[in-house]
Amino acid sequence: MNRPIRILLQTTIHTHEDDWSIFRFSLLQEYLTSIKDETGKPLFAVTGRDRLSDAAGDDPILSSLDQSDFDELWLFALDVGDGLTAKDIAGINAFRKRGGGILTTRDHQDMGCSMCGLVDIGDLHYFNTQNPDPDDSRWSRDDPHTTYISWPNYHSGANGDYQKIIPVEPVHPLLQNPHSPTGLIEFFPAHPHEGGIGVKSDLDARVIALGQSLVTGRTFNLVVAMEHYTDAQGKRLGRAIANSSFHHFVDYNWDIAKGCPSFVDEPPGTGMKTEPQALEDIKTYVRNAALWLAE
């Protein structure tokens, strides 16, 4: 590709100073923008934006995403059902059918459930009231501390701490890190109540990494990767990734000094500061994802 890979970082909420608006993903955007190729040219051109609504209530970019020059969509689904209109969903689906790569992520309970209408991707995300986990033994609270949040809510650790991830064999290229002692990504940012993801259809997708609850000891799916495939209409759909929590990418979980919305009341940790490899690992994962989605 002779030009930079064009990435849209997009939330499903309108801009609000006291929320997880796009300005709280500044470290992610800065890092992606800083990556250069072997000649010193930027590998990625990154645009970050929150949801906007036109007169009809649709987002003018998402609803026509297939007509844009973006190569990838990184969708941070922070709503509880109203973050994407039918036209937005159609635009995103058409974008993927023209080969666009998509990374999607959400969080606990029903956060991000507006994604249920996305082709294939909606099947990868499990919520409390929509598309629940097919394993009904997981229909129970995992994080017992923040009692106003229900399942799925896997407790992988405090914000500001890291979690040890469990790669699923065979190890996926997204998890390779030649600079780590093991040659693999070992750590992700932790979060007290991550969401549920999985694979329950015949798609060319698989769980590639697991996390483990610090409360119950249960493992949970951390990352799902989906390959290209050609649909019945002959469209070659872009690759897709589902992550269990947007907290893997947000400033606060990379550096707690960046702050968080006032409604976050769990005490933070300091593991991301005390273990330098943790931040390098998530950055490596981000770089791997951006390159893999563009292939």
Side-chain angles (χ1 to χ4, degrees):
M1 189 175 289
N2 295 323
R3 60 171 178 80
I5 297 165
R6 293 179 174 138
I7 301 175
L8 173 61
L9 306 180
Q10 171 80 47
T11 76
T12 60
I13 58 172
H14 293 90
T15 302
H16 193 293
E17 184 176 350
D18 195 30
D19 208 340
W20 296 110
S21 296
I22 197 65
F23 71 88
R24 296 191 186 274
F25 295 82
S26 66
L27 296 178
L28 171 66
Q29 183 165 352
E30 288 169 10
Y31 173 64
L32 281 168
T33 302
S34 75
I35 300 172
K36 305 292 193 295
D37 65 16
E38 62 277 2
T39 69
K41 294 180 180 178
L43 268 177
F44 308 106
V46 185
T47 299
R49 66 187 294 273
D50 290 313
R51 174 175 181 79
L52 292 173
S53 298
D54 61 19
D58 305 311
D59 184 283
I61 301 297
L62 294 179
S63 61
S64 59
L65 193 62
D66 57 312
Q67 301 166 43
S68 73
D69 61 1
F70 289 112
D71 303 297
E72 298 179 17
L73 167 66
W74 290 38
L75 187 66
F76 306 107
L78 311 176
D79 61 276
V80 288
D82 58 352
L84 297 171
T85 66
K87 192 172 179 181
D88 297 338
I89 289 169
I92 296 170
N93 285 337
F95 170 77
R96 186 154 166 257
K97 288 185 178 183
R98 72 147 165 88
I102 301 180
L103 183 149
T104 55
T105 186
R106 35 72 69 94
D107 207 43
H108 57 259
Q109 200 169 331
D110 277 340
M111 183 176 284
C113 63
S114 65
M115 293 191 295
C116 284
L118 296 178
V119 171
D120 307 328
I121 291 170
D123 294 330
L124 303 181
H125 289 275
Y126 302 151
F127 301 100
N128 183 283
T129 64
Q130 298 185 50
N131 193 41
D133 194 315
D135 179 0
D136 61 9
S137 72
R138 292 182 175 270
W139 297 2
S140 60
R141 190 187 304 276
D142 187 274
D143 167 30
H145 307 300
T146 309
T147 56
Y148 55 83
I149 289 174
S150 190
W151 59 269
N153 62 343
Y154 299 104
H155 192 301
S156 64
N159 294 313
D161 279 339
Y162 61 82
Q163 59 179 304
K164 181 83 171 176
I165 74 170
I166 305 167
V168 176
E169 297 288 346
V171 176
H172 195 278
L174 285 170
L175 301 182
Q176 301 288 343
N177 183 0
H179 303 297
S180 81
T182 62
L184 300 177
I185 291 167
E186 298 180 50
F187 305 114
F188 261 35
H191 181 55
H193 28 78
E194 305 203 24
I197 56 174
V199 180
K200 61 180 182 182
S201 65
D202 58 356
L203 298 171
D204 190 3
R206 67 182 182 94
V207 176
I208 66 167
L210 306 176
Q212 186 168 24
S213 168
L214 298 186
V215 174
T216 64
R218 288 193 296 185
T219 58
F220 63 94
N221 298 332
L222 199 70
V223 184
V224 171
M226 183 185 299
E227 279 290 350
H228 295 285
Y229 75 91
T230 302
D231 67 11
Q233 289 74 46
K235 302 287 187 180
R236 186 173 186 262
L237 278 70
R239 285 172 163 169
I241 300 170
N243 271 70
S244 57
S245 177
F246 74 89
H247 284 273
H248 302 156
F249 305 100
V250 78
D251 290 356
Y252 184 57
N253 291 75
W254 288 21
D255 178 3
I256 56 170
K258 299 292 282 186
C260 61
S262 62
F263 54 76
V264 176
D265 53 12
E266 299 92 359
T270 59
M272 293 295 288
K273 283 191 172 182
T274 59
E275 175 50 76
Q277 188 189 331
L279 184 57
E280 290 307 309
D281 273 355
I282 190 59
K283 286 183 174 180
T284 300
Y285 173 77
V286 162
R287 185 182 191 277
N288 291 349
L291 290 172
W292 186 78
L293 288 171
E295 292 176 3

